[in-house]
Coordinates of all heavy atoms in Angstrom, one line a residue:
S1 N 142.9 81.6 150.6 CA 141.7 81.5 151.4 C 141.2 80.2 151.5 O 140.7 79.6 152.6 CB 140.6 82.4 150.8 OG 139.4 82.2 151.5
A2 N 141.4 79.3 150.4 CA 140.9 77.9 150.4 C 141.7 77.2 151.4 O 141.2 76.1 151.9 CB 141.1 77.4 149.0
Q3 N 142.9 77.6 151.8 CA 143.8 76.9 152.7 C 143.6 77.5 154.1 O 144.5 77.2 155.0 CB 145.2 76.8 152.2 CG 145.4 76.2 150.9 CD 145.0 74.7 151.0 OE1 145.3 74.0 151.9 NE2 144.3 74.3 149.9
G4 N 142.7 78.4 154.3 CA 142.5 79.0 155.6 C 143.3 80.2 155.9 O 143.4 80.6 157.1
T5 N 143.9 80.8 155.0 CA 144.8 82.1 155.2 C 144.0 83.2 154.5 O 143.8 83.3 153.3 CB 146.1 81.9 154.6 OG1 146.8 80.8 155.3 CG2 146.9 83.2 154.7
E6 N 143.6 84.2 155.4 CA 142.9 85.3 154.8 C 143.9 86.6 154.6 O 144.3 87.1 155.7 CB 141.7 85.8 155.8 CG 141.0 86.9 155.2 CD 139.7 87.3 156.0 OE1 139.1 86.4 156.5 OE2 139.5 88.5 156.3
P7 N 144.2 86.9 153.4 CA 145.2 87.9 153.3 C 144.5 89.4 153.3 O 143.4 89.5 153.2 CB 145.7 87.7 151.8 CG 144.5 87.1 151.1 CD 143.8 86.3 152.2
V8 N 145.4 90.4 153.5 CA 145.0 91.7 153.3 C 145.3 92.1 151.8 O 146.4 91.8 151.3 CB 145.8 92.7 154.2 CG1 145.5 94.2 153.8 CG2 145.5 92.5 155.7
I9 N 144.3 92.5 151.1 CA 144.5 92.8 149.6 C 144.3 94.3 149.4 O 143.3 94.9 149.8 CB 143.4 92.1 148.9 CG1 143.3 90.7 149.2 CG2 143.6 92.3 147.3 CD1 142.0 89.9 148.8
V10 N 145.5 94.9 148.9 CA 145.4 96.3 148.6 C 145.5 96.6 147.2 O 146.4 96.0 146.5 CB 146.6 97.0 149.3 CG1 146.5 98.5 149.1 CG2 146.7 96.8 150.8
A11 N 144.4 97.2 146.6 CA 144.3 97.3 145.1 C 144.4 98.8 144.8 O 143.7 99.7 145.4 CB 143.0 96.8 144.7
G12 N 145.3 99.2 143.9 CA 145.4 100.6 143.4 C 144.8 100.8 142.1 O 145.1 100.2 141.1
Y13 N 144.0 101.9 142.0 CA 143.3 102.2 140.8 C 143.5 103.7 140.4 O 144.1 104.4 141.2 CB 141.7 102.1 141.1 CG 141.2 100.8 141.5 CD1 141.2 100.3 142.8 CD2 140.8 99.8 140.6 CE1 140.7 99.1 143.2 CE2 140.4 98.6 140.9 CZ 140.3 98.2 142.2 OH 139.9 97.0 142.5
R14 N 143.2 104.0 139.2 CA 143.3 105.4 138.7 C 142.2 106.3 139.3 O 142.4 107.4 139.6 CB 143.2 105.4 137.2 CG 144.3 104.7 136.4 CD 144.1 104.8 134.9 NE 145.2 104.2 134.2 CZ 145.2 104.0 132.9 NH1 144.1 104.3 132.2 NH2 146.2 103.5 132.2
D15 N 141.0 105.6 139.3 CA 139.8 106.4 139.8 C 138.8 105.5 140.5 O 139.2 104.4 140.9 CB 139.1 107.2 138.6 CG 138.9 106.2 137.4 OD1 138.5 105.1 137.7 OD2 139.1 106.7 136.3
Q16 N 137.6 105.9 140.6 CA 136.5 105.3 141.4 C 136.0 103.9 140.6 O 135.2 103.3 141.2 CB 135.3 106.2 141.7 CG 134.4 106.4 140.4 CD 134.9 107.6 139.6 OE1 136.0 108.1 139.8 NE2 134.0 108.1 138.8
N17 N 136.6 103.6 139.4 CA 136.2 102.4 138.8 C 136.9 101.2 139.4 O 137.9 100.7 139.0 CB 136.5 102.4 137.3 CG 135.6 103.5 136.6 OD1 134.3 103.2 136.5 ND2 136.1 104.6 136.1
L18 N 136.3 100.7 140.5 CA 137.0 99.7 141.3 C 136.7 98.3 140.9 O 136.1 97.5 141.5 CB 136.6 99.9 142.8 CG 136.8 101.3 143.4 CD1 136.4 101.3 144.9 CD2 138.2 101.8 143.3
F19 N 137.2 98.0 139.7 CA 136.9 96.7 139.1 C 137.5 95.6 140.0 O 138.7 95.7 140.5 CB 137.4 96.6 137.6 CG 138.9 96.8 137.4 CD1 139.7 95.7 137.5 CD2 139.4 98.1 137.2 CE1 141.1 95.9 137.3 CE2 140.7 98.3 137.0 CZ 141.6 97.3 137.1
L20 N 136.8 94.5 140.2 CA 137.1 93.3 140.8 C 137.2 93.5 142.4 O 137.4 92.5 143.1 CB 138.5 92.7 140.4 CG 138.5 92.2 138.9 CD1 139.9 91.7 138.6 CD2 137.6 91.1 138.7
A21 N 136.9 94.6 142.9 CA 137.0 94.9 144.3 C 136.0 93.9 145.1 O 136.3 93.3 146.1 CB 136.7 96.3 144.7
D22 N 134.8 93.8 144.5 CA 133.8 92.9 145.2 C 134.2 91.5 145.2 O 134.0 90.6 146.1 CB 132.4 93.1 144.6 CG 131.8 94.4 144.9 OD1 132.2 95.0 145.8 OD2 130.9 94.8 144.1
D23 N 134.8 91.0 144.0 CA 135.3 89.7 144.0 C 136.4 89.4 144.9 O 136.4 88.3 145.6 CB 135.8 89.4 142.5 CG 134.7 89.5 141.5 OD1 134.3 90.7 141.1 OD2 134.3 88.5 140.9
L24 N 137.3 90.4 145.0 CA 138.4 90.2 146.0 C 138.0 90.1 147.4 O 138.5 89.3 148.2 CB 139.5 91.4 145.8 CG 140.2 91.4 144.5 CD1 140.8 92.8 144.3 CD2 141.3 90.3 144.4
A25 N 136.9 90.8 147.7 CA 136.4 90.8 149.1 C 135.9 89.5 149.6 O 135.7 89.3 150.8 CB 135.3 91.9 149.2
K26 N 135.6 88.6 148.7 CA 135.2 87.2 149.1 C 136.3 86.4 149.7 O 136.0 85.5 150.5 CB 134.7 86.4 147.8 CG 133.5 87.0 147.1 CD 133.3 86.3 145.8 CE 132.2 86.9 144.9 NZ 132.0 86.2 143.6
Y27 N 137.5 86.9 149.5 CA 138.7 86.1 150.0 C 139.6 86.7 150.9 O 140.7 86.1 151.3 CB 139.5 85.5 148.7 CG 138.6 84.8 147.7 CD1 138.3 85.4 146.5 CD2 138.0 83.7 148.0 CE1 137.4 84.8 145.6 CE2 137.1 83.0 147.1 CZ 136.9 83.5 145.9 OH 136.1 82.9 145.0

């Protein structure tokens, strides 16, 4: 992101405890 490239980030979890999802959404 710092270099101007916005990736698609797919995160796989066991359940609804979506740790780091909000942090990832910044980039």
Side-chain angles (χ1 to χ4, degrees):
S1 177
Q3 298 299 318
T5 298
E6 182 176 320
V8 172
I9 309 160
V10 185
Y13 300 89
R14 292 176 179 174
D15 51 36
Q16 75 276 12
N17 290 295
L18 308 182
F19 60 91
L20 296 178
D22 290 341
D23 296 74
L24 291 166
K26 299 174 185 177
Y27 307 111

